[in-house]
Amino acid sequence: MNSSKTRRKVVVASAENGDSGDKLDQLLLSSAISNGEDLSPFIRKTFASGKPETLLHHLRHFCRSKEAEIEEVCKVHYQDFIMAVDDLRSLLSGVESLKSSISNSNYQLQSVAGPLLTSLDSFIEARNKCQNISLAIESLRICVRLMELCSRVNFHLSKNNFYMALKCIDSIERDFIQKTPSSTLRRMLEKNIPAIRAHIERRISKEFGDWLVEIRTVSRNLGQVAIGQASAGRQREEELRIRQRQAEEQSRLSVRDTVYALEEEDDDGYSIGNEDPTISIKLLGLRMDSKKSHQTFFAQIAGFFIVEDRVLRTGGGLITKMEVENLWDTAVSKMCSVLEDQFSRMRTANHLLLIKDYVSLLGVTLRRYGYSVDALLDVLNKHRDKYHELLLSDCRKQIAEAVAADKFEQMWMNKEYEYSMNVLSFQIQTSDIVPAFPYIAPFSSTVPDCCRIVRSFIEDSVSFMSHGGQLDFYDVVKKYLDRLLTEVLDDTLLKLISSSISGVNQAMVVAANMAVLERACDFFFRHAAKLSGIPLRMVERSRRQFPLTKARDAAEEMLCSLLKKKVDGFMTLIENVNWMVDEPPQSENEYVNEVIIFLETLLSTAQQILPGQVLKRVLQDVLSHISETIVNFLVGESVKRFSLNAVMGIDLDIKLLESFAENQASLVSEEEANQLKKALVEARQLVNLLLSNNPENFLNPVIRERSYNALDYRKVGIISEKLKDPSERLMSTNTLCLLYLLQDSQVSLEEISRIDVDADDGSE
C-alpha cells in the first residue's frame, strides 16, 4: 500500500512537470497498471498508431521498475528473517536449560507426592463408599416412608375412609413417586394408584348416590328441625320482649316513687329495637296440629334447599351457585303460585294465619342460608286485607254469639283469678284496690267476652303483620281495629239495643256496659301499640273519640225512653189534682211523691251500676221530661180551668223535684247537681210567671230573655187563657188574640207588646 501511494505520487508529480509525450504515456500506463485499470484503451491506441513496440517498451520498463522494488522489499524482509532466526537460536539454549530444570522439579514432585497420591486414592475410595452408603440409607428411608403411606392407604381403604386414603395417595404422588429409587416399586405404584382411585371413585359415587337418595327422604325432617329452631328462636325473642315490657311497665307505674327516674325514659319504654312482636308461638304450635299438609310441603322445600346449600359449599364444584339460584327461583315461583291459589280458596282466618306464620318461619330459616324470600313475603302482604276481612267476619260471628248469650245480669265473681281474668286483664277497673269477694261487677258477661274477642283480634292481626318485612305496622292494625269496633261491635250492640231490650234493668246494664267498654277501648289501642312496638305516648297523642258512640247514645236513649215510660205512668196521677182549689195546698200532690219514690228507688240501683256522668245525663233527661209533662198537661185538654192556688200546689211539686236534684250532689258534683236542677227550668219559669206580680213583664224582651227564655209564647197564651179569674190572667184578650195570630204569622212579641199597651190605653 505504501508503494502504491508512492507510485501515485510519482505519477501525479510526473504529470504536473509536463514531460515529453512518451514519458507521459509511460506514466499513464504505469498508473493504470498500478491502479488495476483496464489496459484495452492503451492497446487499442497503440495498434491504432501502428507502434506496438512502444507499448512493449513501456511494459518492459514497468517490469524492470517493479523488479527493483520487489528486490528491495525482499531484501528488507530477509534481514528481518535473519534476525528472527538468530533470536530463535538464542532461545533454544534457554529452552534446554528450562527443560532440564523442569525434569528435576518433576522428579522431586513425584518423589514427594507419591505417598500423598496413595492417601488420596484411599480417601476417594472411602468417600465413594460413604456416599454409596448414604444414598442407600436415603433410599431405604424413602422406601420405608413410602411403604408406611402404602400401609396407611390399605388401612383407610379397609375402613372405607376414602378421604384419608386419597390424601395419602396424593402425598405419595407429590412427594415420593418421583424420588423412589426402586424402579420396580415405582412401576407398581404407577400401575396401582389409578386403579385405587378408580375403586374409590366408584365406591364414593355409589355412597354419594345412596346419600342423595336418603337425604331426600329425610329432607322433610331436616326442614322441620330447621323451622323448629327458627320457631324456638322467635319464641325466645318474644319471651324476652315480654319480660322487657313487664319490667318497663312496672318501672313506668313505680316512677313516682323513684326519685332519680325520668319520665322520658318511661315514655320510651316500648320502643325496643326494630323487631316486630308477635303472640306466643306456643299457641301457634297447638293450632298446627290440626292441619299438617302445608307443614309437610314447606318442610320438604326447606330441607331440600338446606341440603343444596350444603352440597354447594362442600361438594367441590359438584353443583354451581348459579344452578342453585335458578332452582331456588323456580321453587319460589311455584310456592308463590301455590300460596296464591290456596289463599284464594281459604275461608277461615285461622288457617290463613297458620300458613302465614309457617311461611314466615320458612323465610327466616332459608334466609340464614343466603336465599332471598322477598317474593314470599310480598305474597303474604298482598293478602293482608283478605285475612283481616276473614278475621272481621269471624269476630262478627263470635261477638253476635256472645251478645245473644247475654242475660243482661251483673256478673258475679267469686275468686280473685276471675276478677283478674275478667277485669284486670282488660284494665277496666275503676280502682286499684282489689274488692272483696264475692264481687258483683257493674257490667254483664258481654263486656269481658267482647273484650276477649277484640284482644284476640288485635293479637291475631299483629301476628299476621309481624315478621313480614314491614317494621311499622301499627297504623294498619289500628285501621282494622277501628273497623272492628265501629262496623262490627258497634253495629251488633245497636241491633241488640233496638231488638232485645225490654226492661229498665236490662237497659241500665247495657248502658253500664257501654261505659265500661269505653275504658276497654283505651286498653285496646294501648295493647295494639304495645304489641306493635309503638311508644304509648304516641297513642296518647293520637287518641280519637269513643268508637262505640252510636251504641252508647242508643243505650242511654233506650234507658231514658224506658224511664220516661215509667215516669209517665206515675204522672197520670196528675189528673187527680184539684185545679180549682180555693185554698193554697199545704203539701205536694200525690203524683210527685210517687215520682220521687220511683227516682230514689232507681238511684239506689243505678248508682251501683252506672258511672256518675251517665247517671247525670239520664236523670237530667228524665227531669226535663217531667217538667215538659207538667207544662204539656196544663196546655192539654184535660185542664179546662185552674186557679192560682193550684199553681201554688204545682210550685210545691217543682220545689220537691228541685230539692231531689240538689240532693244528688253526693253522687255527682255540685255543678252537675245544678245542671240537674236546670232540667226543670221550663216548669219553674212557667210557675214563676203565673205567680208573678207583674206577669206583663213576659212581653218585655229583655226580661223575657233573662227570666222566661225556656217558655214558648204559644203555650203561655193557652195556659193564661185557662186561669179561673180573668183579672188574674197574664194578658188581655187582645194580646191573646195576637198571640194566636202569631202562631200563623211573623208578628214579633215586641209588636204584640206595643199593640197590647195601645189597647189598654184605649180602654181607659
Side-chain angles (χ1 to χ4, degrees):
M1 291 178 65
N2 293 333
S3 62
S4 65
K5 290 180 181 180
T6 303
R7 287 194 297 270
R8 282 196 296 273
K9 290 179 181 180
V10 170
V11 172
V12 174
S14 297
E16 289 177 355
N17 292 331
D19 293 339
S20 63
D22 293 338
K23 292 184 177 181
L24 180 60
D25 294 337
Q26 184 180 354
L27 289 173
L28 292 172
L29 181 61
S30 299
S31 177
I33 295 171
S34 300
N35 294 331
E37 297 177 356
D38 188 14
L39 298 180
S40 58
F42 294 98
I43 297 173
R44 191 181 297 110
K45 182 180 178 181
T46 300
F47 282 99
S49 61
K51 299 177 179 182
E53 296 82 3
T54 303
L55 177 61
L56 293 173
H57 176 74
H58 290 325
L59 291 175
R60 292 188 188 97
H61 181 269
F62 181 76
C63 290
R64 287 193 296 271
S65 63
K66 290 301 178 181
E67 290 176 354
E69 290 181 5
I70 293 169
E71 184 178 358
E72 185 178 359
V73 171
C74 291
K75 184 178 180 179
V76 173
H77 286 288
Y78 179 76
Q79 187 68 31
D80 293 336
F81 176 73
I82 295 299
M83 291 177 63
V85 170
D86 291 341
D87 292 338
L88 183 59
R89 288 177 177 175
S90 62
L91 182 62
L92 287 174
S93 60
V95 169
E96 289 295 332
S97 60
L98 180 60
K99 179 178 179 182
S100 177
S101 176
I102 290 173
S103 178
N104 294 332
S105 298
N106 180 43
Y107 176 76
Q108 292 176 359
L109 178 62
Q110 289 182 358
S111 62
V112 173
L116 293 176
L117 289 175
T118 304
S119 300
L120 180 61
D121 291 339
S122 300
F123 170 75
I124 291 173
E125 183 179 0
R127 187 184 64 180
N128 290 336
K129 291 180 180 179
C130 181
Q131 289 179 350
N132 291 336
I133 292 172
S134 298
L135 180 61
I137 292 173
E138 180 65 23
S139 299
L140 289 174
R141 186 182 64 81
I142 292 174
C143 291
V144 169
R145 293 182 60 188
L146 180 60
M147 296 307 295
E148 288 179 353
L149 286 175
C150 292
S151 177
R152 290 181 185 177
V153 171
N154 292 331
F155 175 77
H156 291 312
L157 287 175
S158 65
K159 298 297 183 181
N160 293 328
N161 192 356
F162 299 125
Y163 177 76
M164 295 305 301
L166 289 174
K167 294 288 289 186
C168 293
I169 290 175
D170 291 340
S171 179
I172 290 173
E173 289 182 327
R174 184 179 64 252
D175 300 330
F176 295 101
I177 196 169
Q178 298 300 328
K179 300 178 182 180
T180 303
S182 174
S183 59
T184 303
L185 184 59
R186 183 186 303 111
R187 286 194 299 272
M188 184 273 293
L189 292 175
E190 291 176 349
K191 178 182 177 181
N192 290 333
I193 285 177
I196 294 173
R197 286 186 181 276
H199 169 73
I200 292 175
E201 183 177 356
R202 288 193 300 272
R203 290 289 302 273
I204 290 178
S205 297
K206 183 178 182 302
E207 291 183 2
F208 183 68
D210 295 341
W211 176 82
L212 286 178
V213 174
E214 181 180 2
I215 198 65
R216 296 307 178 216
T217 59
V218 300
S219 61
R220 179 182 64 184
N221 297 333
L222 180 62
Q224 288 176 345
V225 171
I227 293 175
Q229 291 176 350
S231 176
R234 182 182 293 181
Q235 182 177 354
R236 287 192 298 270
E237 293 176 0
E238 177 60 21
E239 290 175 352
L240 177 60
R241 280 194 290 268
I242 291 174
R243 288 195 296 269
Q244 289 176 340
R245 291 185 193 127
Q246 291 175 350
E248 289 162 1
E249 183 66 17
Q250 292 175 359
S251 175
R252 185 178 69 86
L253 294 176
S254 61
V255 69
R256 300 170 185 172
D257 300 330
T258 306
V259 177
Y260 52 84
L262 297 177
E263 292 181 359
E264 288 78 3
E265 295 178 353
D266 295 330
D267 292 339
D268 295 334
Y270 294 102
S271 56
I272 305 172
N274 294 325
E275 294 282 339
D276 296 333
T278 184
I279 63 174
S280 176
I281 306 300
K282 293 181 179 178
L283 297 178
L284 181 61
L286 293 176
R287 289 181 294 179
M288 282 183 180
D289 294 335
S290 59
K291 297 179 181 179
K292 296 183 178 180
S293 58
H294 68 281
Q295 293 184 6
T296 303
F297 176 73
F298 291 118
Q300 288 177 340
I301 293 176
F304 177 86
F305 282 99
I306 290 173
V307 173
E308 290 297 316
D309 178 74
R310 182 69 175 178
V311 173
L312 174 64
R313 290 187 290 110
T314 61
L318 182 64
I319 56 176
T320 64
K321 184 177 181 180
M322 183 61 68
E323 292 174 347
V324 176
E325 290 180 352
N326 292 337
L327 188 61
W328 171 246
D329 292 339
T330 303
V332 168
S333 177
K334 182 63 176 178
M335 283 190 290
C336 291
S337 176
V338 171
L339 287 175
E340 290 279 1
D341 179 66
Q342 292 299 318
F343 284 164
S344 65
R345 301 170 184 267
M346 290 181 186
R347 295 296 179 266
T348 59
N350 286 338
H351 193 191
L352 198 151
L353 175 62
L354 184 63
I355 294 181
K356 180 268 173 188
D357 285 338
Y358 209 77
V359 171
S360 67
L361 289 174
L362 171 71
V364 172
T365 301
L366 293 181
R367 188 183 285 118
R368 297 175 180 174
Y369 295 91
Y371 296 103
S372 175
V373 296
D374 293 339
L376 293 176
L377 299 181
D378 291 340
V379 173
L380 298 180
N381 292 330
K382 180 180 178 181
H383 290 82
R384 179 186 67 192
D385 293 337
K386 178 175 181 179
Y387 169 75
H388 283 92
E389 291 298 334
L390 292 176
L391 192 59
L392 286 172
S393 178
D394 293 343
C395 291
R396 182 178 286 106
K397 296 178 182 177
Q398 296 173 10
I399 290 175
E401 293 175 357
V403 171
D406 191 9
K407 298 180 180 179
F408 305 105
E409 297 176 355
Q410 294 177 256
M411 283 191 68
W412 280 70
M413 302 179 194
N414 298 317
K415 302 293 183 180
E416 184 175 354
Y417 79 89
E418 296 179 356
Y419 180 80
S420 176
M421 180 177 62
N422 294 312
V423 178
L424 297 181
S425 60
F426 307 114
Q427 300 179 9
I428 55 178
Q429 70 276 12
T430 57
S431 174
D432 294 335
I433 301 175
V434 178
F437 296 98
Y439 169 68
I440 303 177
F443 52 82
S444 65
S445 61
T446 295
V447 172
D449 290 343
C450 291
C451 287
R452 272 186 283 271
I453 295 171
V454 175
R455 183 178 63 183
S456 176
F457 175 88
I458 295 171
E459 292 172 350
D460 287 344
S461 177
V462 171
S463 178
F464 186 88
M465 298 302 299
S466 300
H467 309 287
Q470 185 176 356
L471 297 179
D472 185 9
F473 51 82
Y474 170 70
D475 291 338
V476 178
V477 176
K478 180 176 177 292
K479 180 183 75 172
Y480 288 107
L481 177 59
D482 284 335
R483 287 189 57 188
L484 174 67
L485 295 176
T486 56
E487 297 179 10
V488 178
L489 183 57
D490 196 28
D491 291 347
T492 304
L493 293 175
L494 278 174
K495 293 179 181 178
L496 170 74
I497 294 169
S498 60
S499 61
S500 302
I501 305 300
S502 58
V504 174
N505 291 334
Q506 292 181 351
M508 194 178 302
V509 171
V510 172
N513 288 347
M514 299 309 303
V516 178
L517 287 174
E518 186 169 2
R519 294 195 299 273
C521 287
D522 294 335
F523 162 76
F524 295 149
F525 288 102
R526 289 196 304 270
H527 188 58
K530 185 186 298 184
L531 294 181
S532 302
I534 300 297
L536 292 182
R537 67 173 183 273
M538 297 182 63
V539 181
E540 298 296 333
R541 292 174 183 172
S542 60
R543 178 176 292 178
R544 50 166 291 172
Q545 64 178 359
F546 181 44
L548 307 178
T549 304
K550 294 180 181 179
R552 180 190 62 188
D553 295 343
E556 294 182 7
E557 183 179 352
M558 176 62 70
L559 177 59
C560 292
S561 175
L562 294 174
L563 290 176
K564 290 175 184 178
K565 290 181 180 179
K566 289 286 186 179
V567 169
D568 288 342
F570 298 110
M571 291 298 293
T572 56
L573 297 176
I574 198 174
E575 296 177 355
N576 299 331
V577 175
N578 185 2
W579 295 105
M580 301 300 294
V581 62
D582 296 329
E583 298 293 334
Q586 301 299 318
S587 61
E588 300 83 3
N589 292 302
E590 179 185 5
Y591 77 91
V592 75
N593 291 322
E594 294 295 333
V595 169
I596 293 296
I597 292 172
F598 169 73
L599 293 178
E600 289 178 347
T601 304
L602 173 69
L603 283 180
S604 63
T605 304
Q607 66 184 359
Q608 299 177 4
I609 301 177
L610 297 177
Q613 291 298 322
V614 178
L615 184 59
K616 189 266 291 187
R617 291 195 294 268
V618 171
L619 281 178
Q620 189 172 0
D621 195 12
V622 171
L623 291 176
S624 177
H625 176 70
I626 293 172
S627 174
E628 184 179 354
T629 301
I630 294 173
V631 174
N632 290 337
F633 190 80
L634 290 175
V635 174
E637 296 296 331
S638 298
V639 179
K640 303 299 182 179
R641 287 284 187 270
F642 64 90
S643 63
L644 289 182
N645 291 329
V647 174
M648 293 179 184
I650 297 298
D651 182 49
L652 293 177
D653 298 342
I654 296 175
K655 287 180 179 179
L656 182 59
L657 292 171
E658 290 175 340
S659 175
F660 168 80
E662 292 174 351
N663 292 335
Q664 306 313 314
S666 59
L667 299 179
V668 295
S669 64
E670 184 175 354
E671 181 180 357
E672 292 174 344
N674 291 331
Q675 292 179 359
L676 291 177
K677 184 179 178 180
K678 290 180 180 179
L680 301 165
V681 63
E682 184 179 10
R684 168 51 58 198
Q685 289 183 1
L686 177 61
V687 170
N688 290 342
L689 179 61
L690 293 174
L691 298 178
S692 173
N693 295 325
N694 299 302
E696 64 277 2
N697 289 337
F698 180 76
L699 300 178
N700 187 316
V702 177
I703 298 176
R704 184 178 65 252
E705 183 64 27
R706 183 180 67 241
S707 301
Y708 308 109
N709 54 359
L711 296 179
D712 184 357
Y713 62 88
R714 300 177 183 85
K715 294 181 180 180
V716 171
I718 295 172
I719 292 172
S720 176
E721 189 179 6
K722 294 182 179 181
L723 280 172
K724 176 182 178 182
D725 188 356
S727 63
E728 297 174 347
R729 295 178 183 176
L730 302 179
M731 305 171 192
S732 63
T733 303
N734 293 333
T735 304
L736 291 175
C737 293
L738 291 174
L739 281 174
Y740 288 119
L741 290 174
L742 188 61
Q743 297 180 15
D744 300 321
S745 65
Q746 300 298 324
V747 182
S748 65
L749 284 175
E750 288 76 7
E751 296 176 350
I752 293 175
S753 177
R754 289 196 296 271
I755 295 172
D756 188 55
V757 171
D758 295 340
D760 292 340
D761 293 340
S763 63
E764 292 176 357

